[in-house]
Amino acid sequence: MAKVGIVMGSDSDMPIMSKAAEVLEELGIDFEMTIISAHREPEEFFSYAKSAEEKGFKVIIAGAGKAAHLPGMCAAIFPMPVIGIPMKTSDLGGVDSLYSIVQMPTGIPVATVAINGAANAGILAAKILATSDAELLERLKAYSEKLKNQVVAKAEKLDAVGYKEYLKQM
């Protein structure tokens, strides 16, 4: 079965990155999650990125803040899709990370989601894998239907109780 690699530069990214893992788990996709600093342990990083294909990874989700080199360096080494998650930073709010990830040179693309957008990274990884997995595609369709039904239920509740009561219940 296809696997997804989830990599982050620091354990402080774990609360955000775990959202990608939760989506993958819900969709029944195998993944491996690890912490590697491209700057502080470059040899370990290169080993990770070079061995990812052998491990069966079809997509890597990489989260990084500040200079945010981790997603781009993964994309430079790993021959399959890389999804970058710019992490919110205390210095510049994650815009620095976003700019770093989206401004990759020609030939080294990184799909990029919103700042702290790990859940969407998990969904995008699943969509990439679903192009060659009919069962996963059906699970994705069911997941989308579940999201739709959640919105419909919220709208019905708002209609039933009014906005003031709805706000109290949030």
Side-chain angles (χ1 to χ4, degrees):
M1 172 179 258
K3 282 176 44 175
V4 174
I6 301 175
V7 63
M8 66 204 88
S10 169
D11 64 346
S12 63
D13 300 332
M14 185 65 75
I16 299 301
M17 298 301 289
S18 66
K19 293 175 183 174
E22 290 168 8
V23 168
L24 296 175
E25 282 179 341
E26 184 171 344
L27 292 170
I29 298 170
D30 290 337
F31 66 91
E32 179 182 299
M33 182 184 285
T34 192
I35 301 166
I36 299 175
S37 172
H39 297 117
R40 294 183 187 101
E41 47 182 4
E43 291 176 15
E44 289 80 359
F45 165 75
F46 282 112
S47 176
Y48 171 83
K50 286 181 178 182
S51 67
E53 185 179 2
E54 289 174 15
K55 291 180 182 178
F57 294 175
K58 300 298 182 192
V59 179
I60 291 177
I61 297 172
K66 300 193 179 193
H69 291 118
L70 192 60
M73 288 302 297
C74 284
I77 297 167
F78 182 65
M80 289 180 264
V82 174
I83 302 167
I85 303 171
M87 304 304 290
K88 186 174 182 183
T89 59
S90 58
D91 301 327
L92 298 172
V95 174
D96 49 343
S97 311
L98 175 65
Y99 288 165
S100 180
I101 296 170
V102 299
Q103 295 189 68
M104 293 300 298
T106 300
I108 314 293
V110 175
T112 308
V113 295
I115 295 168
N116 286 357
N120 272 351
I123 294 166
L124 181 55
K127 287 184 174 197
I128 291 167
L129 296 175
T131 62
S132 61
D133 184 334
E135 290 178 16
L136 176 55
L137 180 58
E138 291 307 310
R139 292 194 305 271
L140 262 170
K141 289 176 181 179
Y143 181 85
S144 293
E145 186 67 20
K146 180 184 95 169
L147 294 178
K148 174 190 156 196
N149 291 338
Q150 289 172 346
V151 173
V152 168
K154 290 175 185 179
E156 289 172 352
K157 180 179 175 183
L158 175 59
D159 289 345
V161 300
Y163 81 92
K164 289 181 181 179
E165 185 61 31
Y166 190 92
L167 286 171
K168 289 178 188 176
Q169 296 175 16
M170 288 182 75

